[in-house]
Amino acid sequence: MQFVETLRNAWKIKDLRKKMIFTLAMLFVFRLGSFVPVPGIDPAGIAGQVEGGGLLGLFDIFSGGALSNFSIFAMGIMPYINASIITQLLTVVIPKFEAWSKEGEEGRKKLTQVTRFGTVILGTIQATGLSFAFRGYMSSSDLGSLALVVISLTAGTAFLMWLGEQITENGIGNGISLIIFAGIVSRLPLTIIQYIELIRVGEGHIFTALILVAIALVVLVGVIYVQEGERKIPVQYAKRVVGRKMYGGQSTHIPLKVNQAGVIPVIFATSLLLFPATIGEFWDNAVVNVIARFFDMSTVSGQILQALLIVFFAYFYTAITVNPVELADNMKKNGGFIPGIRPGKPTSSHIERILTRITLVGALFLALIVVIPFAVGNLAGVNIGIGGTSLLIVVGVALETMKQIESQLIMRHYKGFMG
């Protein structure tokens, strides 16, 4: 298999081997921390509530079981993702943030710092909610004990944020995505074993298991197909003479990916919907409960909201990563043009029009994959709503990580050749 061959080739290169070992070591630290309990609280009682499914069960899957253990990583990386969403949205409305986003590396560092502060603030709010919600399982519910739980949970999320950044800088792949990936994958074997046991005692059905396998295969094939899909825009470069040499005259293309944003829209949409639903889970108020129910991803309204948010974030993230005006300007400077399209603004408009259409296809596909399991689950009478989201994230992150490994291999191959 090409997958195994790529890993084998990467392992042979000392620098890449170090990066892979570092990544695995950091993910091991994450899994280890998922079993370190918060002081002064009984995780057994909390596990009983979480295993009941619903929102807490969904939250537990994304944290890799850390919530059911009520470990220091119980909140997972979601506060960081929410802070990232807010920071990116603020770059559109706050001129200072917009200026930073255009300053290159220095501006990126400033925005990262804002995201870090936002993570601590959101983490503290969420940790406070969790501590009050589960204070019945605490050995002491005085102010000092509550403060200890809040500090422990917030520190755990801040540490995960740092861990993700270390993986991104010194390892292979996107650290935050890999932490979510590791959390989901760590739960899959246990889920499979539990369902096999249900079938054995007669409480589960083989038909339901076949539905789950079929959905998994459809998502797997679909994600790979769409993830690899791209629209090639033909570009022709005119011949030009510089000194005694002639340049240009060749034909090439601009590859625009159908799903430019990858699994980022799904992660963003899910984490954003989890935030109000989490508050409603712990705040027993009629109005809040109605709002929380509206955002709950197991309801029709929650599914519609998730689909709309996925489409929104797909366009938003694509707009950040691909600039049609910049592409058109660079093409014009180098004597390139799209056949039948005038250089300059008509070229950028043409690229933007194509990008808008293919992004819609990619976004609707992501939304469909996430929503379908809910409908199938309702028909089959089982709760498999998280299946599509989990598989989408797992497959998407795995593909992106493998592409990074391949690009590193190609870069080192050319470096060795040129040397």
Side-chain angles (χ1 to χ4, degrees):
M1 288 178 63
Q2 188 177 354
F3 171 78
V4 177
E5 186 65 26
T6 301
L7 288 178
R8 187 184 293 117
N9 292 335
W11 190 260
K12 292 177 183 177
I13 301 173
K14 184 178 179 181
D15 186 30
L16 279 182
R17 185 166 64 248
K18 285 183 178 179
K19 287 178 177 287
M20 292 169 69
I21 292 173
F22 180 84
T23 301
L24 291 173
M26 293 298 101
L27 293 179
F28 176 75
V29 171
F30 160 61
R31 290 305 303 147
L32 196 64
S34 299
F35 296 95
V36 178
V38 172
I41 198 162
D42 176 27
I46 296 174
Q49 283 197 20
V50 173
E51 288 170 3
L55 175 65
L56 292 177
L58 174 65
F59 207 73
D60 192 45
I61 290 174
F62 279 103
S63 65
L67 180 59
S68 56
N69 297 326
F70 209 76
S71 75
I72 55 175
F73 294 159
M75 296 194 301
I77 203 68
M78 290 306 172
Y80 175 82
I81 296 173
N82 287 327
S84 298
I85 296 170
I86 294 170
T87 302
Q88 290 190 17
L89 291 174
L90 289 177
T91 57
V92 181
V93 295
I94 298 180
K96 190 69 174 178
F97 284 15
E98 186 180 2
W100 286 348
S101 66
K102 297 176 181 178
E103 287 180 6
E105 185 65 22
E106 286 301 316
R108 187 185 66 82
K109 287 180 180 178
K110 293 175 183 177
L111 288 174
T112 300
Q113 197 66 19
V114 172
T115 304
R116 288 170 181 164
F117 284 122
T119 301
V120 174
I121 294 170
L122 292 179
T124 303
I125 295 171
Q126 192 168 329
T128 303
L130 283 174
S131 63
F132 275 99
F134 293 130
R135 64 183 181 276
Y137 301 100
M138 297 173 61
S139 56
S140 174
S141 58
D142 57 31
L143 188 60
S145 299
L146 289 171
L148 179 61
V149 173
V150 172
I151 292 171
S152 299
L153 292 175
T154 306
T157 293
F159 181 77
L160 277 183
M161 173 181 65
W162 176 83
L163 209 65
E165 290 177 353
Q166 292 303 306
I167 293 174
T168 303
E169 292 177 11
N170 305 310
I172 294 288
N174 182 287
I176 302 302
S177 297
L178 282 173
I179 287 175
I180 297 174
F181 171 89
I184 294 173
V185 169
S186 68
R187 301 288 291 172
L188 290 180
L190 180 61
T191 303
I192 293 171
I193 292 170
Q194 287 176 345
Y195 201 80
I196 290 174
E197 183 62 23
L198 287 176
I199 294 175
R200 191 183 68 81
V201 298
E203 294 183 12
H205 302 282
I206 295 178
F207 175 71
T208 304
L210 292 175
I211 290 176
L212 291 171
V213 172
I215 290 175
L217 290 174
V218 169
V219 172
L220 183 65
V221 174
V223 169
I224 293 174
Y225 182 77
V226 174
Q227 197 76 5
E228 298 299 309
E230 60 183 24
R231 168 70 186 276
K232 297 179 179 179
I233 302 177
V235 178
Q236 180 70 40
Y237 284 93
K239 293 182 180 180
R240 54 197 178 96
V241 178
V242 180
R244 295 183 178 181
K245 292 184 179 181
M246 181 175 290
Y247 295 91
Q250 76 272 20
S251 297
T252 182
H253 65 270
I254 300 174
L256 295 178
K257 293 182 70 65
V258 174
N259 185 20
Q260 187 74 34
V263 295
I264 296 296
V266 178
I267 296 174
F268 276 17
T270 303
S271 60
L272 203 61
L273 286 175
L274 277 174
F275 190 71
T278 304
I279 296 174
E281 186 82 17
F282 305 129
W283 193 354
D284 190 14
N285 180 282
V287 177
V288 174
N289 288 338
V290 170
I291 295 173
R293 184 66 180 167
F294 182 74
F295 283 94
D296 190 343
M297 285 178 285
S298 63
T299 63
V300 175
S301 60
Q303 294 168 35
I304 294 172
L305 274 175
Q306 189 177 22
L308 291 174
L309 283 172
I310 287 172
V311 173
F312 169 76
F313 282 119
Y315 274 103
F316 181 77
Y317 195 80
T318 301
I320 292 174
T321 54
V322 182
N323 189 339
V325 176
E326 188 176 332
L327 284 174
D329 289 342
N330 290 336
M331 202 185 304
K332 186 177 180 180
K333 289 176 183 177
N334 292 284
F337 62 93
I338 299 173
I341 307 294
R342 294 178 60 187
K345 185 171 175 55
T347 297
S348 64
S349 299
H350 178 71
I351 296 173
E352 187 174 358
R353 186 164 57 251
I354 293 174
L355 197 61
T356 300
R357 292 174 180 174
I358 63 175
T359 299
L360 179 62
V361 174
L364 290 177
F365 167 79
L366 292 177
L368 190 66
I369 290 298
V370 171
V371 170
I372 277 181
F374 285 101
V376 175
N378 290 334
L379 290 174
V382 292
N383 181 22
I384 57 173
I386 189 59
T389 305
S390 295
L391 285 173
L392 194 60
I393 293 173
V394 167
V395 176
V397 172
L399 283 174
E400 289 175 7
T401 305
M402 286 306 300
K403 281 188 176 181
Q404 283 204 24
I405 293 175
E406 287 179 352
S407 65
Q408 295 272 358
L409 283 172
I410 293 172
M411 183 180 68
R412 280 158 179 76
H413 171 75
Y414 283 128
K415 183 179 179 181
F417 179 76
M418 293 299 291

